[in-house]
Amino acid sequence: MSKTKTLLTWASALFFFYAAWSGFIDQEFAFSKVEGRVLQKDYTEIAVDRGMNVQTQPRYILRLSSGENLFVSSPDFHSVDQGDHVLFISQHGNVNLYEKKSHS
């Protein structure tokens, strides 16, 4: 292969690699913030079908003053109280507590 074809092949490969990588980086660091005061804490159990048996799974819900209903993990649910001002970060379907300010 001539030197020009080799150079063009490498340049196009690097361009496509960079384009794919930059899209991955953009999606990897994309997140949204949910902020508000905790109005209500709800705990429910839902039935989950696991093949031949049905199991219950806990679901922790926080209702915020911003109008959001967040499904959070057990540690986050138990660490906040009603009236606390909270900031949650949502990324790839995971919701994590970032900041909490107590109401007292």
Side-chain angles (χ1 to χ4, degrees), residues 79-100:
S79 68
V80 298
D81 296 321
Q82 255 181 311
D84 288 351
H85 189 270
V86 292
L87 173 64
F88 282 92
I89 301 293
S90 175
Q91 184 179 24
H92 302 296
N94 297 325
V95 178
N96 296 312
L97 179 63
Y98 182 73
E99 183 179 7
K100 175 186 102 166

Side-chain angles (χ1 to χ4, degrees), residues 34-91:
V34 179
E35 188 173 4
R37 196 163 296 281
V38 178
L39 297 177
Q40 186 178 5
K41 293 172 62 172
D42 289 332
Y43 169 80
T44 58
E45 288 190 0
I46 59 171
V48 179
D49 184 17
R50 303 243 189 238
M52 294 295 290
N53 61 351
V54 176
Q55 298 176 343
T56 59
Q57 181 178 0
R59 181 162 273 178
Y60 302 98
I61 305 169
L62 294 177
R63 300 187 199 290
L64 301 180
S65 62
S66 62
E68 298 281 337
N69 293 332
L70 291 178
F71 297 103
V72 297
S73 65
S74 177
D76 289 345
F77 181 79
H78 293 296
S79 68
V80 298
D81 296 321
Q82 255 181 311
D84 288 351
H85 189 270
V86 292
L87 173 64
F88 282 92
I89 301 293
S90 175
Q91 184 179 24

Side-chain angles (χ1 to χ4, degrees), residues 1-41:
M1 221 160 55
S2 70
K3 193 171 189 173
T4 307
K5 287 182 182 179
T6 304
L7 184 63
L8 285 174
T9 303
W10 273 104
S12 62
L14 288 174
F15 170 75
F16 288 121
F17 178 73
Y18 172 74
W21 182 255
S22 65
F24 171 75
I25 292 295
D26 287 343
Q27 288 184 357
E28 193 64 28
F29 290 115
F31 64 90
S32 61
K33 298 189 288 187
V34 179
E35 188 173 4
R37 196 163 296 281
V38 178
L39 297 177
Q40 186 178 5
K41 293 172 62 172

